[in-house]
Amino acid sequence: MVNNKDKPLRRRLLAKGTALAAAVCMMLLPATAHADMQGVDMSNWQCGVDVYNMQADFIVVGTTWGTGQVNNNCLVSGVNTDANRMIAQAQASGKKYGLYHYAMGGNPEAEAQFFYRNTSNYWRHGIVALDWEMDDNPAFGNWDWVRRFMMECERLSGGVRPLLYTGPVAGTIPSDIRAKYGLWIAQYANMSPTGYQASPWMIGAYGEAMRQYSGTGVVNTWSPIDLNIFRGEAWQWDLYANPTGSTAPAPATPAPVQPSTPPANTSTGGISHVMQWGETIWGLAVAHNAWPLSAWHTPSGDINRYYVGDVVTYGGGSTATPAPSTTSGGTYTVKSGDCLSAVFGSRWPSIAALNGLVSPYTIYPGQVLKTDGGATASVSGGVSKTLQWGDTVWEFATSHGYNVSQCTVPSGNINVYYPGDVVTCR
């Protein structure tokens, strides 16, 4: 006999979902939809997951926590530093995506503002949601807190309504919240490992738009993971994300989670831009409303692999002049007065290792140094690499036969690193 067991809710980082339309109660999304969607949601401890190759129709990523008071795993001051990469991989591989915010019971308007400020470039492209759980949330049980958070999100975004994620209290959600916001309910039949299920236990019991039915799910690139079923099709997902159909920017501060550096050198024939630290193709596409991503081009030929200084183009493209650079063709010729740190910044240890230089790292005018775009270099007893946007320590370590515990990064926390940081594995 199957036990009626609510999910032991975990800490997460991402708010997901919006309203289908003002006159449609999202919780009434029909259970008889012809092609329900299967997907996963990921918290702050799942850094480095391969989203691009993951077997899923959608991905929901934890992005923010409280008002920024949390630092662990992927979190830096309450923001998931791996969220951009995961969302970019989801979009590049044709998956729908969403974001959620983990409530910590502070001022609801302040938490809504923190969520929106750090993710606004993704709103109206992916669903958003409030993760309403008991852990670290002194306001749990206060439904007025939920109302105020949701209303502030609507105000900031110009009408986008988040989904409400919760579990044990699903049966006590007030009728006015049920009528206005889509529900995302977590409830498990058991804790046994499972793959995707077409008709999970108790599906539709609360009129929910989405059901999380396992926390011990198994997919091809990661386990255990939360499994979810969205009770609708892709076009319905899009209506939750963007009920009005407008993609006009909302009146808010650009989101630090999604870099907002404006693209340069546009023309009627297309777009051409020199990539800076922290920028993503996805961010440029959002800023220019330039879709699909497949119409963007990078020097590597891989839309998911690009580097600082690369000239990326969209459509016909115009000619862009690359940012001033001290490197050319994978080499740099030393000039009088140069030193490694001045020329290469935080990359200098990797450049030194790549060229066999050791302390005191003496270089001479006219000397040609290999730069190789920050590629892997041998170091004493191991390997090192200057991280580019989208790189992960996990991928680098495993590709060279190391465990991540054998690697170091400048922050001292193997889960916190940035483009330009040198990772070393020994």
Side-chain angles (χ1 to χ4, degrees), residues 365-377:
Q367 183 178 3
V368 178
L369 300 176
K370 293 180 289 185
T371 61
D372 202 23
T376 302

Side-chain angles (χ1 to χ4, degrees), residues 241-288:
N242 191 9
T244 67
S246 170
T247 57
T253 303
V257 163
Q258 176 55 52
S260 54
T261 303
N265 301 326
T266 61
S267 76
T268 56
I271 300 167
S272 184
H273 179 76
V274 179
M275 299 301 289
Q276 308 297 317
W277 283 124
E279 290 185 324
T280 66
I281 299 294
W282 169 253
L284 298 182
V286 170
H288 280 287

Side-chain angles (χ1 to χ4, degrees), residues 225-243:
I225 197 166
D226 291 344
L227 299 184
N228 300 266
I229 185 168
F230 176 74
R231 303 173 65 213
E233 302 177 37
W235 67 270
Q236 292 168 309
W237 180 284
D238 291 341
L239 283 176
Y240 276 87
N242 191 9

Side-chain angles (χ1 to χ4, degrees), residues 125-136:
H125 297 283
I127 64 169
V128 296
L130 169 65
D131 188 344
W132 183 242
E133 304 186 24
M134 183 180 298
D135 290 348
D136 296 324

Side-chain angles (χ1 to χ4, degrees), residues 281-334:
I281 299 294
W282 169 253
L284 298 182
V286 170
H288 280 287
N289 195 25
W291 310 98
L293 283 188
S294 59
W296 287 85
H297 306 283
T298 65
S300 71
D302 182 350
I303 198 66
N304 296 303
R305 186 64 60 185
Y306 41 87
Y307 304 95
V308 173
D310 279 357
V311 178
V312 299
T313 59
Y314 173 83
S318 60
T319 301
T321 301
S325 173
T326 57
T327 63
S328 174
T331 62
Y332 174 74
T333 302
V334 178

